[in-house]
Amino acid sequence: MAFKKSKSDGLFELLADQSQYLVQAADILTKIIGADPQSRSALNDELHKVEHRADEACHTVLRKVNQSFVLPFDREDLYELASVVDDCIDLMDEAGDNIVLYKPGHLPDGVNTQVEILRNCAALSHDTLGQLSVINEKTRDFWIEINQLENQGDQVYRKMVSSLFENATDALEVMKVKLVLDVIEDAIDAFEKLSGTIESIAIKES
C-alpha cells in the first residue's frame, strides 16, 4: 500500500533519519568488541554520541506525531515505533558500557556472531523504515527475516551461557561476561519487538 504525497512525508523522513542510528550503533559496538581494551573507551564515547543523537531524533519524531492531526498510521503505533527504535539503540549503548566498565578478560567467540546478527537486524530495520510509506511484500519479509535472526541469536546465546557455566573457574569473570552477553541478547530481542510493531502496522493497513 502506497501513501500519496502529503504532510506525512515529513514523518517518514524523520523515521528514516532516526533509523540510521541503528546502523551506526551496531557498527561501533562491533568495533568495541574487536578492539583492544585500551581503545574501547574512546569507541564507547563515540557510541554515546550516537545514542544522544538518536535520542534527539526520537524526540523529533514524537513531537511530529504530537503536532500532526492527520497521520499515516495509528498514533499509538507511531509512538511505539519510535520508542522501540530508541530502545534498540539504548541497549547497544548499554552493551558498550558493560564491556568498558566491567572489563571482561575474554569474550566468547559467539559474541562476534551476536553482533553480526545485530548489524543485520540494524541494516534490515533501517532499510524497512526508510521505505515505510510503501507497505508491500518486502515489508512483510522483513519481520520474517528478523524473527529468523532472533532465533539464531537465541541459539548462540544459550550455547555461550552453557559453555560459560560449564567451564567457569572465576565466578566474578563469569558475571562480567554474562552481563555483556545478556544485554546484547536483549538488543536482538528488541529488534524482534520492532519488527512486531511494523508487522502490526502492515496488517492494519493491508
Side-chain angles (χ1 to χ4, degrees):
M1 178 178 181
F3 294 92
K4 294 179 180 179
K5 287 284 182 180
S6 69
K7 292 181 180 179
S8 296
D9 293 348
L11 179 58
F12 288 127
E13 289 169 5
L14 292 175
L15 285 167
D17 179 66
Q18 183 191 6
S19 71
Q20 71 177 302
Y21 298 111
L22 292 167
V23 176
Q24 293 180 26
D27 286 347
I28 297 173
L29 180 58
T30 302
K31 291 178 183 177
I32 290 172
I33 288 169
D36 59 82
Q38 293 74 27
S39 303
R40 284 174 171 168
S41 182
L43 287 167
N44 200 42
D45 288 342
E46 287 184 34
L47 184 52
H48 287 329
K49 290 176 184 176
V50 168
E51 191 273 333
H52 291 322
R53 289 194 289 269
D55 275 346
E56 292 171 2
C58 180
H59 295 320
T60 301
V61 171
L62 294 178
R63 281 196 299 272
K64 177 71 172 178
V65 173
N66 281 332
Q67 293 167 1
S68 300
F69 291 102
V70 179
L71 293 166
F73 310 129
D74 287 349
R75 196 175 301 272
E76 292 74 16
D77 289 337
L78 289 166
Y79 287 144
E80 177 77 4
L81 194 59
S83 297
V84 178
V85 170
D86 198 53
D87 289 343
C88 292
I89 297 164
D90 285 346
L91 286 163
M92 287 188 278
D93 184 56
E94 184 180 343
D97 265 348
N98 284 5
I99 293 168
V100 170
L101 294 174
Y102 301 134
K103 299 180 177 63
H106 174 73
L107 292 171
D109 292 340
V111 171
N112 294 317
T113 304
Q114 273 191 314
V115 293
E116 186 59 31
I117 289 170
L118 273 179
R119 291 181 74 187
N120 287 335
C121 287
L124 286 166
S125 300
H126 177 45
D127 184 54
T128 299
L129 286 162
Q131 302 178 53
L132 203 57
S133 60
V134 179
I135 293 177
N136 52 27
E137 283 302 315
K138 187 175 180 181
T139 316
R140 293 173 176 84
D141 289 342
F142 163 70
W143 65 76
I144 295 172
E145 292 180 78
I146 293 292
N147 181 255
Q148 291 172 343
L149 287 166
E150 194 275 335
N151 288 339
Q152 183 185 349
D154 275 348
Q155 292 172 5
V156 172
Y157 171 77
R158 287 195 293 268
K159 286 179 182 177
M160 284 191 295
V161 171
S162 174
S163 176
L164 187 64
F165 287 130
E166 184 177 350
N167 301 310
T169 57
D170 183 337
L172 182 59
E173 183 64 18
V174 168
M175 183 178 71
K176 290 179 179 181
V177 172
K178 192 168 184 299
L179 284 167
V180 173
L181 303 186
D182 286 352
V183 75
I184 296 177
E185 175 66 7
D186 288 344
I188 296 172
D189 288 344
F191 275 103
E192 186 178 43
K193 185 176 179 182
L194 173 60
S195 74
T197 303
I198 293 175
E199 178 183 13
S200 177
I201 290 171
I203 290 170
K204 289 178 182 179
E205 299 302 323
S206 62

